[in-house]
Amino acid sequence: MSQKTATPPRDGFSSRFGLIAAAAGSAVGLGNIWKFPYIVGENGGSAFILIYLISILCVGLPVLLAEFIVGRRGGANAVRSFKKLAPNTKWPIIGWLGIIAAFMILGFYTVIAGYTIHYFILSITNAFSGMTSEQITQTFNQFSSGYAPIIYTIIFILLSVIVLFGGIKNGIEKYTKVLMPGLVGIIILLVIRAVTLPGAGEGLQFLFKPDFSQLSMSAILDALGHSFFSLSVGMGTMLTYGSYISKKENLASVSCSIAIADTMIALLAGVAIFPAVFAFGIDPTAGPGLVFITLPNVFLQMPGGNIFGALFFLLLFIAALTSVVSIFEVIITYVTEELNVNRRKALLLTTLAVIVISIVCSLSQTPNTFLSFNGHSLFDWMDLLSANVLLPIGGLLIMLFLGFVMKKDEVADELSQGSKSIKTTMVYLTITKFIAPLAIAIVFLTGIQALFH
Ligand code: PHE
């Protein structure tokens, strides 16, 4: 491990728009378009959304800002940034946990991401035409428990490699600057289609008229946990991106833009999905199958449904791609800096490792697999352990690091770049020291409890 004093010039984001496209691209993912709508559906709609918004504001956003601060100040990968800011301490463990979480999330996330390619092809070729709803369910069950997802997963991973190849400015930034506006355009089209369907009002009511009787304790915990996952925080992704942010940027305002973009897209995904689901009289509480089973049924009944279906899965694909590259980057930045290899070699090593993990995850979904423990497949474990355990621990530790370990003037300095206000530091430190850690600790303990029940 080389600890050079003279750092070579580092890659970095070249514009504010590029930075926001990349970071919002990381945040906006399957979490927004696949998971958010179905957990809203399972938890009774709008009252849940309200709790989710509060979680984003009080916990997700402060953690996001903390990652940017540590990343930009540390100016290196997730492990080394902590080594620089707190030498000879155990805090770099946060970075290590992040790298473990990155492998775990990539393991299951790329499998679902691969589904989007298959479903895009099925939609555009009108393969659902004439199918009954049982056949659509069967199509999904057969596909997801077979071996075909492995091929799509590998294709998806290789497509991410294309984006990652050019580095930050000439890779991630270059592609996300085009992909993210495309994603917004598609979602707006889908929203217009959904809200102009006869009978759409009921779906909008489900989304926006709060019914607090539906709200359970587990819904609150789901909301908090999901705010972490959705903002890509708690595992060093935003920290790594933060290390590539120029000193000119105002981190607080960039963080707010990202949180707003992420929340807006999740809400728009809800508006694109629920009015259509209600308009065709389909159950909104379908769970994880909502997107791959319920929606093809919806598109089948809709005029021009195969085109809108294809657009929807393209949207899901773009969202997943821009998230997957950000998770990859945590590992690649680490490998290049700590093992002292060039980006190409780091990319090759990481890709091979991720392909192996993803194949194992995908195999754990097949029947008669031995890759299942305690009633959950390995695939489910990767999801549960990363979202319910590693992300909250990472978020909690980084808040404590910022609140109690990092020097106050360093935090103030990072916060005041590109902005005049110093008062924000005090407010921010109060949130980081007390409010956020408490909330995260509660979610974490309950999340752990749920895992072993
Ligand atoms: N935020 C992404 C989503 O909503 C997932 C993600 C989690 C990305 C953690 C990076 C890190 O789908």
Side-chain angles (χ1 to χ4, degrees), residues 77-109:
N77 65 73
V79 176
R80 194 184 292 195
S81 285
F82 287 104
K83 278 192 192 156
K84 278 181 163 175
L85 297 176
N88 306 319
T89 62
K90 298 260 180 292
W91 290 98
I93 278 186
I94 304 177
W96 280 108
L97 290 175
I99 289 172
I100 296 170
F103 278 116
M104 292 175 91
I105 297 179
L106 284 172
F108 73 89
Y109 203 92

Side-chain angles (χ1 to χ4, degrees), residues 25-33 105 109 226 228-233 235 237 262 319-320 323-324 326-327 391:
S26 168
V28 173
L30 296 173
N32 303 59
I33 298 163
I105 297 179
Y109 203 92
H226 186 63
F228 269 81
F229 187 79
S230 189
L231 283 180
S232 309
V233 295
M235 51 149 295
T237 310
D262 185 56
S323 296
V324 162
S326 73
I327 311 176
L391 264 47

Side-chain angles (χ1 to χ4, degrees), residues 389-432:
V389 182
L390 289 176
L391 264 47
I393 295 189
L396 178 63
L397 291 178
I398 199 163
M399 287 272 102
L400 295 175
F401 180 80
L402 201 104
F404 296 100
V405 180
M406 212 173 143
K407 294 189 191 83
K408 241 186 223 71
D409 53 339
E410 284 190 322
V411 176
D413 188 42
E414 284 302 324
L415 276 175
S416 62
Q417 313 274 356
S419 101
K420 304 271 173 296
S421 163
I422 295 292
K423 252 190 293 171
T424 38
T425 312
M426 292 326 292
V427 177
Y428 181 61
L429 281 179
T430 314
I431 298 176
T432 37

Side-chain angles (χ1 to χ4, degrees), residues 289-321:
L290 178 71
V291 156
F292 297 105
I293 298 174
T294 310
L295 287 188
N297 271 298
V298 168
F299 291 126
L300 198 57
Q301 299 179 46
M302 189 188 270
N306 62 326
I307 301 295
F308 286 105
L311 277 175
F312 179 81
F313 290 109
L314 180 63
L315 169 80
L316 211 52
F317 168 80
I318 297 175
L321 186 69

